[in-house]
Amino acid sequence: RSDSSRTITSTTDPQIVRKQQQRLLLLRHATRCNYPPGECPIARRCAETKILCHHIRTCNKGRSCPVPHCVSSKYILSHYIRCRGSPSCLVCGPVKRATLKSYKKNHDIARAREIDAKMNVLFI
């Protein structure tokens, strides 16, 4: 059984939780990154993730989509949107805290919440 078919709330395997957190953070980064493809110094998989994000916005193949990482990314994004970064969620809680901490350091908190809301709209 693949990681994408497991429910987030039922797994406590640290490796799976970490992979899901990393996926969320990479998707979040790619939706906001302004660097041209292949030139992002922050995330080495930014360019391919931007392509994936574009694909996800229009994909209607559900679980049968053959595009790598599409199904698992839609799954984790769907969970994140429903979960709203609940502090009790092993995956979303730390991601939400990390992104808010980063924004507090570099921007204001209102802007952080605005970008988080845009991410939710992009992947609904």
Side-chain angles (χ1 to χ4, degrees), residues 1-70:
R1 205 162 117 149
S2 72
D3 290 350
S4 65
S5 65
R6 295 182 185 173
T7 56
I8 290 172
T9 54
S10 70
T11 186
T12 57
D13 182 325
Q15 289 179 330
I16 293 171
V17 169
R18 184 75 176 148
K19 285 173 77 174
Q20 291 171 335
Q21 291 169 340
Q22 289 172 335
R23 177 71 55 88
L24 275 173
L25 291 169
L26 184 56
L27 289 164
R28 185 177 183 91
H29 167 81
T31 61
R32 299 176 16 251
C33 182
N34 293 319
Y35 284 100
E39 294 184 24
C40 176
I42 300 164
R44 68 184 164 102
R45 295 195 170 178
C46 181
E48 65 191 68
T49 305
K50 284 181 181 184
I51 293 167
L52 176 63
C53 288
H54 178 74
H55 165 79
I56 288 172
R57 288 183 187 112
T58 59
C59 178
N60 59 4
K61 295 187 179 179
R63 290 182 172 198
S64 64
C65 182
V67 173
H69 307 294
C70 177

Side-chain angles (χ1 to χ4, degrees), residues 34-105:
N34 293 319
Y35 284 100
E39 294 184 24
C40 176
I42 300 164
R44 68 184 164 102
R45 295 195 170 178
C46 181
E48 65 191 68
T49 305
K50 284 181 181 184
I51 293 167
L52 176 63
C53 288
H54 178 74
H55 165 79
I56 288 172
R57 288 183 187 112
T58 59
C59 178
N60 59 4
K61 295 187 179 179
R63 290 182 172 198
S64 64
C65 182
V67 173
H69 307 294
C70 177
V71 174
S72 60
S73 294
K74 286 191 285 188
Y75 179 82
I76 190 72
L77 285 166
S78 175
H79 171 82
Y80 183 79
I81 291 164
R82 285 190 320 273
C83 185
R84 307 291 294 162
S86 169
S88 63
C89 179
L90 293 175
V91 175
C92 301
V95 169
K96 185 73 151 189
R97 286 191 297 277
T99 56
L100 289 176
K101 183 179 177 181
S102 172
Y103 282 117
K104 283 180 185 178
K105 182 178 173 185

